[in-house]
Amino acid sequence: MSSPTQKRSPPTTGLLLPYLPLHPFSQISPLSSRSSVQALLKTLLDPLTPFFSPLKARIRIPGSTAVRFDQTASEVEGICRPLWGLACLLAGGGEYANKQLWIEGIKNGVDPEGKEFWGYPRDNDQRMVEMCPLGFALAVVPGIWEGIGEKGRRDLEMWLGNSINEKNMPNTNWLWFRVFANLGLKKNGGKFSQERLDADIEHLETFYRGDGWSNDGPEGIHQMDYYSSSFAIHFLQLLYANLAGKDDPARAAEFKKRAQLVALDLAHYYDPQGRSIPFGRSVGYRFAMVSFWGALAYADVDLPAPLTWGMVKGIVLRHLRWWQTQNDMWSSSGTLTLGYSYPNMYMAENYNSPGSPYWACLAFICLAVPETHPFWTSKEEDHWSVIPRVKALKQPGHIMSNLGGHCMLLSSGQACSYPMKGTHAKYGAFAYSSAYAYSVPPGLFTLEQYALASQLGLSDDGGEYWKTRRLSTSALEERDGSPVLVSLWKPFVDVHIKTYLLPPKEETPNWHLRVHHIFAAGREVMTADGAFAICSEREEDGRLLGLYDPSKEGTEEGTQPKLMGNYDLLTPEAWASGRKGAFAVSKKAGAVGIRALEDGLLGKEIRMANLVNADPNSNLVESRTTIPTLQGTIKKGEKVWYVSAIYAKPPPPPPGKGARKDLDGWERLPEVPKWLREEISRSSGSGSKL
């Protein structure tokens, strides 16, 4: 096998990315072997070198944005989070020329008399989070403990152990960070608290809900995002199983068992092209979304049938390769930025500092796996050849689908337990896709700023301010052998909505159904039901998509009806009937659209279709997007059924051959199932049928 291209020497002045050349991260090819993944990690570490502080205790990563905690803690993030990758590299027998910078930095950072002392943590302090990668690094790289000297070891015991064990911590996955602080000290014979370590794990056990799934918090909170798997809980359970298995065999066995159970669910979140489904908060940690799979190998879990190590390896490497295609996620200095596929502060959390994205280094846990492990020796395989295309997941409240060219989840019932920017978009949307990422609101005035991709918005002030689903009660049901998500929610105290989410069918794989029964008991409301957001730029010149020309199907891109600017929305050609619907076709991204199917029940059309020209930088992947949308008005006291069919057809994976047929399913509308037609008929009292 050929070795990855690139020779490297430690940079002294930093990387500068001009107009055209790719970041070294994207130049590692082929990305298929352990050595190539080692080289990939080094392209993340190398650009950090110029940004170390004089005593090496901090890294001030480019980007002067503030965060909810202090600047020192932000720079502690900068040095500690890359340790996830560096520690895995060294633990697996790899080398890194600048590893001494981190050892020197740790020594000076924990020195309470030093000029670059990190500071002892207070209650609920961000420093507690960074103790986790430091504790892990101590546990797997003995050279760190040895390299900081006797005084450094005493200082580290005080900073890492004694300073955290009596502090209050959030009642979330954070408790695992204190476990690893103590575990790192324990592994080196340092002063630690076994009592605190055991108590924290016992409390974390109360988050377990069954079927392998843990909630990110106590009872009363339903939050099962990537923190439940790759960002924290499952990932750290598996690391614990490896590192503490001899001392705590019962827990280690239980954590491995849970990983076996949940693996068959989590496999549905990664598509054949390597993309994961962006869902929930902190997705700016990027390729950390795949770290669970490397942790399976690190803990040497017996894989549940029908998964194989070749499939696990394929999930990890395809994912990393996809990120190699995202060329806009870097600063001009070569460091990761806040954002997803490009720098984006709108989607960032208030706890995201410029150093936060390096939590992505969790993905390199696979480098701590021996080269003789079947994870590395197996040939890559596609897991989608052996798992179902549609699966209902009870614990997270998701219906997973891999029909129509992308992986999608339908979601109901989840919410973040505390105020979060864009929380309705991150948890409350109806559908999330690996091909069409979710959008967040850049502002809070008119639909263009709310960017309601895969959401239903309601306005009681003529369309200036909009409310969407944030909190809901949800039930996962089965109707005629197919899963259905049913949720109840209230955007206003006197507006009641029942929403049904139905996954695609084999016969109409590009469509899923979204049905709302709305009772506007106390006020008149405008409504806007959005499809997925899609790139709104023409391939040839980057200008706004024009009107679609059906005579050029296969080569044409455009919209129906016409996509207008934000100042001429009343132009007649910007609107179509709800039944005709709205769609957008992009050579880069395929086609998305939405159509109203309720007219057959009511005998008249009650909604119109248009293209919302979403504000720039609202979407995670595409910086310029449009959202096909159905709009209507419900009078005070009126009860209405909306039946929305949502279309999505991504382009085929490269190399695509022949003419594209992005709209070949647009006229094959999905069937509204009999049970739903009967329910609509009964509640409306009309006896009409769709």
Side-chain angles (χ1 to χ4, degrees):
M1 180 178 295
S2 60
S3 60
T5 59
Q6 284 210 4
K7 290 184 177 180
R8 70 171 28 78
S9 58
T12 56
T13 59
L15 187 65
L16 180 63
L17 296 178
Y19 191 70
L20 288 177
L22 297 176
H23 191 286
F25 182 88
S26 298
Q27 298 179 42
I28 302 299
S29 179
L31 187 64
S32 56
S33 64
R34 193 168 182 263
S35 61
S36 66
V37 178
Q38 290 175 331
L40 191 75
L41 169 64
K42 293 174 184 179
T43 70
L44 292 173
L45 300 179
D46 286 349
L48 299 175
T49 304
F51 303 107
F52 275 88
S53 57
L55 298 180
K56 309 299 184 278
R58 307 175 188 177
I59 298 179
R60 179 176 290 183
I61 292 169
S64 300
T65 51
V67 69
R68 73 180 183 190
F69 43 85
D70 60 280
Q71 182 61 28
T72 296
S74 174
E75 295 174 19
V76 173
E77 269 196 343
I79 189 172
C80 285
R81 295 199 168 193
L83 276 173
W84 281 120
L86 179 59
C88 292
L89 174 68
L90 300 177
E95 279 297 328
Y96 185 59
N98 284 344
K99 66 181 179 182
Q100 192 60 36
L101 294 178
W102 271 269
I103 296 175
E104 183 180 346
I106 292 168
K107 176 183 176 180
N108 291 324
V110 298
D111 180 0
E113 289 86 36
K115 293 182 179 179
E116 295 186 2
F117 179 49
W118 291 341
Y120 291 119
R122 302 172 179 174
D123 288 342
N124 305 315
D125 197 307
Q126 183 66 27
R127 290 163 178 80
M128 297 171 171
V129 181
E130 313 322 314
M131 291 180 176
C132 189
L134 179 53
F136 172 72
L138 287 171
V140 301
V141 185
I144 297 176
W145 181 260
E146 298 164 0
I148 60 176
E150 184 177 348
K151 181 183 185 302
R153 289 191 284 273
R154 291 198 307 270
D155 292 341
L156 184 56
E157 284 178 327
M158 180 61 68
W159 188 84
L160 189 59
N162 294 349
S163 68
I164 191 176
N165 283 327
E166 301 307 320
K167 296 292 190 299
N168 293 322
M169 298 187 76
N171 191 16
T172 65
N173 66 83
W174 274 42
L175 296 170
W176 269 112
F177 306 154
R178 186 159 57 194
V179 169
F180 271 80
N182 281 293
L183 189 59
L185 292 170
K186 179 180 179 180
K187 282 288 186 178
N188 287 279
K191 185 178 179 181
F192 76 104
S193 173
Q194 185 68 47
E195 180 181 5
R196 171 57 74 183
L197 189 157
D198 289 335
D200 283 337
I201 295 182
E202 284 298 320
H203 185 81
L204 284 160
E205 285 292 272
T206 66
F207 296 175
Y208 185 63
R209 296 292 179 266
D211 303 322
W213 285 87
S214 288
N215 202 57
D216 188 13
E219 290 286 349
I221 298 168
H222 187 199
Q223 190 173 342
M224 292 182 178
D225 50 24
Y226 283 99
Y227 281 92
S228 290
S229 56
S230 280
F231 289 174
I233 295 175
H234 261 298
F235 177 78
L236 295 173
Q237 286 178 169
L238 290 171
L239 269 56
Y240 181 87
N242 177 300
L243 297 172
K246 291 183 179 179
D247 295 337
D248 194 357
R251 281 199 186 112
E254 175 62 20
F255 292 155
K256 289 184 179 184
K257 179 182 176 182
R258 292 178 190 176
Q260 290 173 320
L261 288 171
V262 83
L264 293 172
D265 289 348
L266 295 179
H268 289 262
Y269 290 77
Y270 307 86
D271 76 11
Q273 297 185 47
R275 300 169 298 194
S276 60
I277 302 175
F279 171 77
R281 65 189 179 102
S282 297
V283 293
Y285 298 159
R286 295 183 172 101
F287 30 95
M289 289 189 282
V290 81
S291 63
F292 167 80
W293 301 98
L296 282 177
Y298 183 68
D300 202 23
V301 173
D302 292 329
L303 293 179
L307 295 182
T308 67
W309 284 115
M311 295 173 187
V312 171
K313 179 181 182 180
I315 291 173
V316 173
L317 294 188
R318 284 191 297 271
H319 186 70
L320 292 174
R321 287 189 207 110
W322 183 79
W323 281 108
Q324 286 186 297
T325 69
Q326 304 305 292
N327 298 319
D328 295 326
M329 63 181 179
W330 310 101
S331 72
S332 60
S333 302
T335 55
L336 286 170
T337 59
L338 291 168
Y340 196 71
S341 288
Y342 61 93
N344 189 337
M345 289 300 297
Y346 293 127
M347 57 82 66
E349 320 301 353
N350 64 2
Y351 52 79
N352 285 160
S353 81
S356 295
Y358 284 85
W359 203 256
C361 289
L362 268 68
F364 295 97
I365 185 62
C366 58
L367 293 180
V369 177
E371 61 185 350
T372 56
H373 192 281
F375 175 90
W376 290 116
T377 60
S378 299
K379 182 180 178 181
E380 286 184 45
E381 297 178 81
D382 179 9
H383 62 290
W384 281 105
S385 62
V386 298
I387 64 174
R389 294 284 170 172
V390 175
K391 183 179 182 180
L393 306 185
K394 173 186 174 183
Q395 296 300 336
H398 290 162
I399 299 175
M400 313 302 296
S401 164
N402 182 15
L403 293 170
H406 64 132
C407 288
M408 179 179 68
L409 68 84
L410 304 179
S411 182
S412 289
Q414 290 208 38
C416 191
S417 60
Y418 51 89
M420 172 168 289
K421 184 169 56 177
T423 185
H424 60 285
K426 295 169 182 176
Y427 293 94
F430 304 118
Y432 296 83
S433 167
S434 63
Y436 303 106
Y438 68 73
S439 297
V440 294
L444 298 176
F445 184 74
T446 74
L447 280 177
E448 289 73 24
Q449 293 181 21
Y450 278 86
L452 299 179
S454 294
Q455 298 177 75
L456 173 67
L458 299 97
S459 173
D460 66 349
D461 64 1
E464 291 190 356
Y465 297 96
W466 295 80
K467 299 199 72 174
T468 66
R469 188 178 69 163
R470 186 179 75 82
L471 298 176
S472 67
T473 59
S474 175
L476 180 60
E477 302 178 0
E478 184 174 301
R479 302 290 186 93
D480 293 341
S482 297
V484 180
L485 275 172
V486 183
S487 63
L488 301 175
W489 54 290
K490 295 194 295 184
F492 302 98
V493 294
D494 51 9
V495 177
H496 309 269
I497 303 177
K498 185 176 186 179
T499 295
Y500 304 75
L501 302 177
L502 287 70
K505 297 286 189 180
E506 293 278 358
E507 312 84 67
T508 51
N510 301 113
W511 294 97
H512 70 275
L513 288 175
R514 182 191 306 162
V515 180
H516 310 287
H517 192 199
I518 305 171
F519 177 29
R523 69 188 72 197
E524 178 176 304
V525 289
M526 295 174 60
T527 64
D529 206 1
F532 292 114
I534 191 171
C535 176
S536 60
E537 297 177 283
R538 294 193 308 203
E539 183 181 60
E540 61 180 287
D541 57 11
R543 303 190 72 170
L544 199 67
L545 291 173
L547 190 64
Y548 183 79
D549 183 351
S551 68
K552 299 180 181 178
E553 184 178 2
T555 60
E556 178 69 343
E557 53 184 349
T559 68
Q560 176 192 282
K562 189 174 182 180
L563 172 58
M564 307 298 289
N566 293 354
Y567 306 104
D568 47 12
L569 300 181
L570 298 180
T571 304
E573 56 262 42
W575 294 88
S577 69
R579 182 72 178 188
K580 187 175 182 180
F583 65 73
V585 180
S586 160
K587 289 183 180 179
K588 180 180 181 181
V592 301
I594 190 168
R595 298 179 73 165
L597 305 186
E598 68 270 0
D599 61 318
L601 172 66
L602 302 172
K604 61 179 181 179
E605 291 194 316
I606 57 174
R607 291 191 287 175
M608 297 290 288
N610 78 325
L611 279 297
V612 171
N613 188 21
D615 262 24
N617 309 313
S618 53
N619 189 258
L620 270 61
V621 171
E622 299 291 346
S623 56
R624 296 177 178 87
T625 59
T626 184
I627 304 171
T629 301
L630 294 170
Q631 297 193 45
T633 299
I634 305 174
K635 301 294 185 182
K636 179 181 177 180
E638 191 175 11
K639 293 182 179 180
V640 169
W641 281 93
Y642 286 164
V643 182
S644 302
I646 296 86
Y647 184 84
K649 187 175 182 183
K657 296 181 180 180
R660 290 253 297 270
K661 296 184 178 180
D662 296 314
L663 292 174
D664 65 348
W666 179 251
E667 296 301 333
R668 292 198 304 274
L669 292 172
E671 180 183 358
V672 180
K674 180 181 178 181
W675 65 265
L676 185 53
R677 296 199 306 269
E678 292 174 347
E679 192 161 330
I680 293 172
S681 180
R682 283 194 302 269
S683 65
S684 66
S686 66
S688 303
K689 295 183 178 181
L690 284 169

